[in-house]
Amino acid sequence: MSKNSTLNPSDLSLLALFFFLPFLFSACSARVELESDEQKAAPTPVAAKEVPAVTVAAIEGTSDEVYFDLIAETTNCLGENLWFGGKLEGATHLAPGNAGADSPKRTYEVTELTATGLSSNQSYVIENSSKTLKAYSDEDGVIYIQLSEGKLRLAPKAGSSPVIVAYNPSQSDDYFDGVADRWSCN
């Protein structure tokens, strides 16, 4: 007696599955391409994100001398927060206007900066040579005091060694004007 064997339809589907299975895995898996030596050696340059200065105060006034007070949160750097005080000295300069005629423009310079520790009552004279703290006036006469990235040198009046305090604004995407970020000390 001879026996003939025929494939069931379920056997055919199993055979087809084994045949197409490698194609299915290759289509679903992520392709990884190896970088050439040229691509590894020359990284693409990324432009640094420029962080704008932070406006810490706005003063309405047109006088030649304006005094201001600020509180700087430097607890993580100096161990205490600082009270900043200073004077804005104004001057009028002629600047070219829109119609070609010279128009007067007010400029301000930050001078007489001092600081006092709120906890220790330690007094400092501040050197602002890198213009970390600066002021400007808009067309409406509003004076803006701005804090930009840079260093301030705090010289204690008691004769201790000076402290370099650097302000570093955040470069994250959630940075917005009016929020101070962090200070570091040297």
PDB file of all heavy atoms in Angstrom, residues 107-129:
ATOM      1  N   THR A 107      22.171 109.053  26.949  1.00  0.00           N
ATOM      2  CA  THR A 107      22.904 107.836  27.288  1.00  0.00           C
ATOM      3  C   THR A 107      23.169 107.845  28.784  1.00  0.00           C
ATOM      4  O   THR A 107      23.270 108.910  29.395  1.00  0.00           O
ATOM      5  CB  THR A 107      24.236 107.734  26.525  1.00  0.00           C
ATOM      6  OG1 THR A 107      25.034 108.864  26.842  1.00  0.00           O
ATOM      7  CG2 THR A 107      24.000 107.659  25.033  1.00  0.00           C
ATOM      8  N   TYR A 108      23.270 106.665  29.352  1.00  0.00           N
ATOM      9  CA  TYR A 108      23.496 106.537  30.792  1.00  0.00           C
ATOM     10  C   TYR A 108      24.662 105.603  31.047  1.00  0.00           C
ATOM     11  O   TYR A 108      24.852 104.621  30.340  1.00  0.00           O
ATOM     12  CB  TYR A 108      22.235 106.015  31.498  1.00  0.00           C
ATOM     13  CG  TYR A 108      21.140 107.048  31.573  1.00  0.00           C
ATOM     14  CD1 TYR A 108      20.212 107.165  30.551  1.00  0.00           C
ATOM     15  CD2 TYR A 108      21.061 107.913  32.642  1.00  0.00           C
ATOM     16  CE1 TYR A 108      19.213 108.120  30.600  1.00  0.00           C
ATOM     17  CE2 TYR A 108      20.067 108.877  32.701  1.00  0.00           C
ATOM     18  CZ  TYR A 108      19.146 108.976  31.679  1.00  0.00           C
ATOM     19  OH  TYR A 108      18.170 109.928  31.736  1.00  0.00           O
ATOM     20  N   GLU A 109      25.412 105.918  32.093  1.00  0.00           N
ATOM     21  CA  GLU A 109      26.525 105.077  32.521  1.00  0.00           C
ATOM     22  C   GLU A 109      26.322 104.710  33.987  1.00  0.00           C
ATOM     23  O   GLU A 109      25.952 105.550  34.807  1.00  0.00           O
ATOM     24  CB  GLU A 109      27.846 105.832  32.353  1.00  0.00           C
ATOM     25  CG  GLU A 109      29.056 104.986  32.686  1.00  0.00           C
ATOM     26  CD  GLU A 109      30.358 105.740  32.475  1.00  0.00           C
ATOM     27  OE1 GLU A 109      30.349 106.797  31.839  1.00  0.00           O
ATOM     28  OE2 GLU A 109      31.376 105.239  32.982  1.00  0.00           O
ATOM     29  N   VAL A 110      26.555 103.441  34.313  1.00  0.00           N
ATOM     30  CA  VAL A 110      26.415 102.957  35.688  1.00  0.00           C
ATOM     31  C   VAL A 110      27.698 103.297  36.442  1.00  0.00           C
ATOM     32  O   VAL A 110      28.790 102.908  36.037  1.00  0.00           O
ATOM     33  CB  VAL A 110      26.169 101.436  35.711  1.00  0.00           C
ATOM     34  CG1 VAL A 110      26.057 100.933  37.137  1.00  0.00           C
ATOM     35  CG2 VAL A 110      24.918 101.074  34.922  1.00  0.00           C
ATOM     36  N   THR A 111      27.573 104.038  37.537  1.00  0.00           N
ATOM     37  CA  THR A 111      28.729 104.434  38.346  1.00  0.00           C
ATOM     38  C   THR A 111      28.428 104.209  39.821  1.00  0.00           C
ATOM     39  O   THR A 111      27.302 103.901  40.199  1.00  0.00           O
ATOM     40  CB  THR A 111      29.080 105.930  38.124  1.00  0.00           C
ATOM     41  OG1 THR A 111      27.960 106.725  38.530  1.00  0.00           O
ATOM     42  CG2 THR A 111      29.424 106.220  36.682  1.00  0.00           C
ATOM     43  N   GLU A 112      29.465 104.388  40.638  1.00  0.00           N
ATOM     44  CA  GLU A 112      29.357 104.322  42.106  1.00  0.00           C
ATOM     45  C   GLU A 112      28.655 103.059  42.601  1.00  0.00           C
ATOM     46  O   GLU A 112      27.806 103.108  43.495  1.00  0.00           O
ATOM     47  CB  GLU A 112      28.659 105.569  42.655  1.00  0.00           C
ATOM     48  CG  GLU A 112      29.389 106.854  42.358  1.00  0.00           C
ATOM     49  CD  GLU A 112      28.709 108.082  42.944  1.00  0.00           C
ATOM     50  OE1 GLU A 112      27.899 107.926  43.883  1.00  0.00           O
ATOM     51  OE2 GLU A 112      28.994 109.182  42.465  1.00  0.00           O
ATOM     52  N   LEU A 113      29.014 101.928  42.016  1.00  0.00           N
ATOM     53  CA  LEU A 113      28.405 100.665  42.430  1.00  0.00           C
ATOM     54  C   LEU A 113      28.965 100.201  43.768  1.00  0.00           C
ATOM     55  O   LEU A 113      30.180 100.156  43.959  1.00  0.00           O
ATOM     56  CB  LEU A 113      28.665  99.579  41.387  1.00  0.00           C
ATOM     57  CG  LEU A 113      27.752  99.558  40.179  1.00  0.00           C
ATOM     58  CD1 LEU A 113      28.256  98.561  39.157  1.00  0.00           C
ATOM     59  CD2 LEU A 113      26.338  99.219  40.580  1.00  0.00           C
ATOM     60  N   THR A 114      28.088  99.850  44.662  1.00  0.00           N
ATOM     61  CA  THR A 114      28.470  99.259  45.946  1.00  0.00           C
ATOM     62  C   THR A 114      27.547  98.070  46.205  1.00  0.00           C
ATOM     63  O   THR A 114      26.474  97.964  45.619  1.00  0.00           O
ATOM     64  CB  THR A 114      28.343 100.257  47.110  1.00  0.00           C
ATOM     65  OG1 THR A 114      26.981 100.703  47.194  1.00  0.00           O
ATOM     66  CG2 THR A 114      29.266 101.437  46.926  1.00  0.00           C
ATOM     67  N   ALA A 115      27.973  97.188  47.079  1.00  0.00           N
ATOM     68  CA  ALA A 115      27.157  96.038  47.461  1.00  0.00           C
ATOM     69  C   ALA A 115      27.356  95.764  48.942  1.00  0.00           C
ATOM     70  O   ALA A 115      28.421  96.038  49.499  1.00  0.00           O
ATOM     71  CB  ALA A 115      27.533  94.803  46.647  1.00  0.00           C
ATOM     72  N   THR A 116      26.327  95.229  49.560  1.00  0.00           N
ATOM     73  CA  THR A 116      26.380  94.852  50.972  1.00  0.00           C
ATOM     74  C   THR A 116      25.734  93.486  51.126  1.00  0.00           C
ATOM     75  O   THR A 116      24.653  93.248  50.576  1.00  0.00           O
ATOM     76  CB  THR A 116      25.634  95.886  51.847  1.00  0.00           C
ATOM     77  OG1 THR A 116      26.202  97.171  51.632  1.00  0.00           O
ATOM     78  CG2 THR A 116      25.739  95.537  53.322  1.00  0.00           C
ATOM     79  N   GLY A 117      26.393  92.594  51.854  1.00  0.00           N
ATOM     80  CA  GLY A 117      25.812  91.286  52.145  1.00  0.00           C
ATOM     81  C   GLY A 117      24.624  91.433  53.074  1.00  0.00           C
ATOM     82  O   GLY A 117      24.725  92.106  54.100  1.00  0.00           O
ATOM     83  N   LEU A 118      23.511  90.825  52.737  1.00  0.00           N
ATOM     84  CA  LEU A 118      22.307  90.986  53.552  1.00  0.00           C
ATOM     85  C   LEU A 118      22.394  90.255  54.881  1.00  0.00           C
ATOM     86  O   LEU A 118      21.754  90.650  55.843  1.00  0.00           O
ATOM     87  CB  LEU A 118      21.077  90.509  52.768  1.00  0.00           C
ATOM     88  CG  LEU A 118      20.731  91.353  51.541  1.00  0.00           C
ATOM     89  CD1 LEU A 118      19.546  90.752  50.801  1.00  0.00           C
ATOM     90  CD2 LEU A 118      20.423  92.780  51.941  1.00  0.00           C
ATOM     91  N   SER A 119      23.199  89.206  54.974  1.00  0.00           N
ATOM     92  CA  SER A 119      23.334  88.466  56.232  1.00  0.00           C
ATOM     93  C   SER A 119      24.539  88.936  57.032  1.00  0.00           C
ATOM     94  O   SER A 119      24.447  89.131  58.242  1.00  0.00           O
ATOM     95  CB  SER A 119      23.461  86.968  55.965  1.00  0.00           C
ATOM     96  OG  SER A 119      22.342  86.493  55.291  1.00  0.00           O
ATOM     97  N   SER A 120      25.681  89.110  56.361  1.00  0.00           N
ATOM     98  CA  SER A 120      26.924  89.433  57.074  1.00  0.00           C
ATOM     99  C   SER A 120      27.168  90.933  57.220  1.00  0.00           C
ATOM    100  O   SER A 120      28.036  91.339  57.978  1.00  0.00           O
ATOM    101  CB  SER A 120      28.115  88.828  56.328  1.00  0.00           C
ATOM    102  OG  SER A 120      28.287  89.484  55.079  1.00  0.00           O
ATOM    103  N   ASN A 121      26.446  91.755  56.467  1.00  0.00           N
ATOM    104  CA  ASN A 121      26.646  93.204  56.456  1.00  0.00           C
ATOM    105  C   ASN A 121      28.036  93.574  55.939  1.00  0.00           C
ATOM    106  O   ASN A 121      28.540  94.651  56.201  1.00  0.00           O
ATOM    107  CB  ASN A 121      26.389  93.814  57.837  1.00  0.00           C
ATOM    108  CG  ASN A 121      25.905  95.240  57.737  1.00  0.00           C
ATOM    109  OD1 ASN A 121      25.384  95.640  56.705  1.00  0.00           O
ATOM    110  ND2 ASN A 121      26.082  96.003  58.792  1.00  0.00           N
ATOM    111  N   GLN A 122      28.684  92.678  55.195  1.00  0.00           N
ATOM    112  CA  GLN A 122      29.985  92.929  54.564  1.00  0.00           C
ATOM    113  C   GLN A 122      29.787  93.910  53.406  1.00  0.00           C
ATOM    114  O   GLN A 122      28.915  93.716  52.574  1.00  0.00           O
ATOM    115  CB  GLN A 122      30.580  91.611  54.056  1.00  0.00           C
ATOM    116  CG  GLN A 122      31.814  91.734  53.204  1.00  0.00           C
ATOM    117  CD  GLN A 122      33.061  92.022  54.021  1.00  0.00           C
ATOM    118  OE1 GLN A 122      33.167  91.593  55.155  1.00  0.00           O
ATOM    119  NE2 GLN A 122      33.981  92.738  53.437  1.00  0.00           N
ATOM    120  N   SER A 123      30.605  94.962  53.344  1.00  0.00           N
ATOM    121  CA  SER A 123      30.493  95.964  52.285  1.00  0.00           C
ATOM    122  C   SER A 123      31.531  95.720  51.195  1.00  0.00           C
ATOM    123  O   SER A 123      32.658  95.327  51.483  1.00  0.00           O
ATOM    124  CB  SER A 123      30.689  97.370  52.859  1.00  0.00           C
ATOM    125  OG  SER A 123      29.635  97.679  53.737  1.00  0.00           O
ATOM    126  N   TYR A 124      31.145  95.977  49.941  1.00  0.00           N
ATOM    127  CA  TYR A 124      32.021  95.793  48.795  1.00  0.00           C
ATOM    128  C   TYR A 124      31.933  97.012  47.887  1.00  0.00           C
ATOM    129  O   TYR A 124      30.875  97.629  47.757  1.00  0.00           O
ATOM    130  CB  TYR A 124      31.603  94.576  47.954  1.00  0.00           C
ATOM    131  CG  TYR A 124      31.574  93.266  48.675  1.00  0.00           C
ATOM    132  CD1 TYR A 124      30.402  92.777  49.232  1.00  0.00           C
ATOM    133  CD2 TYR A 124      32.721  92.484  48.786  1.00  0.00           C
ATOM    134  CE1 TYR A 124      30.366  91.558  49.884  1.00  0.00           C
ATOM    135  CE2 TYR A 124      32.703  91.265  49.441  1.00  0.00           C
ATOM    136  CZ  TYR A 124      31.522  90.807  49.983  1.00  0.00           C
ATOM    137  OH  TYR A 124      31.493  89.592  50.625  1.00  0.00           O
ATOM    138  N   VAL A 125      33.039  97.334  47.239  1.00  0.00           N
ATOM    139  CA  VAL A 125      33.052  98.269  46.130  1.00  0.00           C
ATOM    140  C   VAL A 125      33.114  97.407  44.868  1.00  0.00           C
ATOM    141  O   VAL A 125      33.903  96.472  44.788  1.00  0.00           O
ATOM    142  CB  VAL A 125      34.262  99.226  46.200  1.00  0.00           C
ATOM    143  CG1 VAL A 125      34.318 100.103  44.971  1.00  0.00           C
ATOM    144  CG2 VAL A 125      34.204 100.064  47.457  1.00  0.00           C
ATOM    145  N   ILE A 126      32.284  97.727  43.881  1.00  0.00           N
ATOM    146  CA  ILE A 126      32.169  96.870  42.705  1.00  0.00           C
ATOM    147  C   ILE A 126      32.858  97.517  41.511  1.00  0.00           C
ATOM    148  O   ILE A 126      32.628  98.678  41.200  1.00  0.00           O
ATOM    149  CB  ILE A 126      30.694  96.617  42.358  1.00  0.00           C
ATOM    150  CG1 ILE A 126      30.009  95.957  43.540  1.00  0.00           C
ATOM    151  CG2 ILE A 126      30.561  95.764  41.117  1.00  0.00           C
ATOM    152  CD1 ILE A 126      28.540  95.818  43.389  1.00  0.00           C
ATOM    153  N   GLU A 127      33.718  96.732  40.864  1.00  0.00           N
ATOM    154  CA  GLU A 127      34.334  97.152  39.612  1.00  0.00           C
ATOM    155  C   GLU A 127      33.567  96.481  38.473  1.00  0.00           C
ATOM    156  O   GLU A 127      33.472  95.261  38.412  1.00  0.00           O
ATOM    157  CB  GLU A 127      35.805  96.756  39.581  1.00  0.00           C
ATOM    158  CG  GLU A 127      36.642  97.496  40.597  1.00  0.00           C
ATOM    159  CD  GLU A 127      38.103  97.051  40.586  1.00  0.00           C
ATOM    160  OE1 GLU A 127      38.533  96.390  39.618  1.00  0.00           O
ATOM    161  OE2 GLU A 127      38.793  97.349  41.565  1.00  0.00           O
ATOM    162  N   ASN A 128      33.036  97.302  37.585  1.00  0.00           N
ATOM    163  CA  ASN A 128      32.176  96.838  36.508  1.00  0.00           C
ATOM    164  C   ASN A 128      32.862  97.061  35.158  1.00  0.00           C
ATOM    165  O   ASN A 128      32.262  97.569  34.225  1.00  0.00           O
ATOM    166  CB  ASN A 128      30.840  97.599  36.585  1.00  0.00           C
ATOM    167  CG  ASN A 128      29.800  97.087  35.628  1.00  0.00           C
ATOM    168  OD1 ASN A 128      29.829  95.951  35.211  1.00  0.00           O
ATOM    169  ND2 ASN A 128      28.868  97.953  35.272  1.00  0.00           N
ATOM    170  N   SER A 129      34.139  96.686  35.039  1.00  0.00           N
ATOM    171  CA  SER A 129      34.908  96.992  33.839  1.00  0.00           C
ATOM    172  C   SER A 129      34.407  96.244  32.603  1.00  0.00           C
ATOM    173  O   SER A 129      34.555  96.717  31.480  1.00  0.00           O
ATOM    174  CB  SER A 129      36.387  96.696  34.051  1.00  0.00           C
ATOM    175  OG  SER A 129      36.558  95.338  34.383  1.00  0.00           O
TER     176      SER A 129
END
